[in-house]
Amino acid sequence: VLMYLPIAVVVLYSFNANAGRYPSAFTGFSLQYYKGLLNDTKGLLAALKNSLILAGISCGISMVIGTLGAVGMSARKFRLQGAIETLALLPIMVPEIILGMAFLAVFTFAGLRFGMLTLVLAHVTFCTPYVFIIVKGRLAGMDPSLIEASRDLGASPQRAFFTVTLPLILPAVLSGVLLAFAMSLDDMVISFFVTGPETTTLPVYIFGKLKTNVPPSINALCSLMLGATLAVVALSRLVRRGAEKDR
């Protein structure tokens, strides 16, 4: 109830005819907020577009860095390996407010213009550990003799990675990317410190509106995003069920 009742209320009030800031009763069915959302191309939709672009770029870079880092760390043992792995996970252990202020200081010192570049750099920093830790956990449970067998059969290290290692760790890579995508799309604190006037993300936009008046169309946007998420989950279950039947 605590998890799903607030979500149900958001969906319900997205169809409410009452245009007040804090509606206390459902006064009638209306699609006015959804119509307003489609016309708000410079507000909510623009912020959502920035968030999706940012999450996509950040997760793509994080996927490469996190996967290669996990594979490299698992390939061999060396001194200070534990300390280096701890440093790799540090961005997700440091409070976001501190990390955001640190990025603000560094980017200001480097003279970088605040915008999509600074957002990508910041998001890659805290998204990469999610991919790294999930992929490394998968590699820890993988039989190393599989890679050794491919090498004995003449495969180069690169071919062994793409034909043996990568297919086995691909579910973990995708899990890490999806988690990193969710964290990037949801981030407000760090993005607030490093965003620019033309690259406002959706969480920062909503937070800024809390100071004045929250557009009722936010409920409509949340409902559409929830519907898209449920559709992806349902499609994933259908694909998995089909794959199990083929086996």
Side-chain angles (χ1 to χ4, degrees):
V1 172
L2 290 175
M3 287 178 60
Y4 293 106
L5 182 59
I7 298 177
V9 171
V10 169
V11 176
L12 176 63
Y13 281 116
S14 69
F15 298 101
N16 193 6
N18 183 9
R21 180 179 182 184
Y22 299 111
S24 57
F26 191 82
T27 59
F29 183 86
S30 175
L31 295 175
Q32 59 178 330
Y33 300 153
Y34 289 89
K35 294 179 181 178
L37 176 62
L38 296 177
N39 296 326
D40 190 15
T41 57
K42 295 183 179 180
L44 278 173
L45 293 182
L48 176 62
K49 179 182 177 181
N50 290 333
S51 291
L52 293 175
I53 293 174
L54 172 62
I57 296 175
S58 301
C59 290
I61 299 174
S62 300
M63 177 182 64
V64 175
I65 298 176
T67 301
L68 294 181
V71 172
M73 287 286 186
S74 302
R76 63 183 64 185
K77 303 296 181 181
F78 54 91
R79 293 182 60 184
L80 302 178
Q81 184 174 8
I84 294 177
E85 291 181 0
T86 302
L87 289 175
L89 300 178
L90 196 61
I92 61 177
M93 295 186 286
V94 175
E96 287 189 337
I97 186 70
I98 297 178
L99 200 59
M101 294 178 64
F103 282 127
L104 175 64
V106 171
F107 295 154
T108 301
F109 178 78
L112 294 179
R113 180 182 178 183
F114 287 90
M116 187 59 69
L117 176 60
T118 54
L119 282 168
V120 169
L121 292 175
H123 280 232
V124 167
T125 302
F126 71 79
C127 284
T128 299
Y130 292 105
V131 181
F132 173 82
I133 193 172
I134 295 178
V135 174
K136 193 171 186 305
R138 176 67 182 92
L139 288 168
M142 195 173 69
D143 188 357
S145 62
L146 297 174
I147 302 176
E148 295 173 359
S150 66
R151 296 298 307 278
D152 291 339
L153 293 173
S156 63
Q158 293 79 12
R159 186 170 183 180
F161 172 76
F162 285 106
T163 59
V164 179
T165 305
L166 186 58
L168 292 175
I169 66 174
L170 187 58
V173 174
L174 295 178
S175 298
V177 170
L178 289 176
L179 179 58
F181 186 89
M183 299 302 296
S184 175
L185 192 65
D186 184 60
D187 180 75
M188 196 286 296
V189 177
I190 297 177
S191 299
F192 178 80
F193 283 95
V194 299
T195 190
E198 299 178 357
T199 54
T200 301
T201 61
L202 183 61
V204 175
Y205 178 84
I206 295 176
F207 177 76
K209 288 297 182 180
L210 289 174
K211 301 176 183 178
T212 55
N213 185 25
V214 180
S217 54
I218 288 180
N219 291 333
L221 178 61
C222 293
S223 300
L224 292 176
M225 294 177 66
L226 177 63
T229 302
L230 293 177
V232 171
V233 173
L235 179 62
S236 174
R237 291 181 65 88
L238 290 175
V239 171
R240 184 180 301 177
R241 185 176 300 178
E244 292 176 352
K245 289 181 179 180
D246 293 339
R247 292 177 183 176

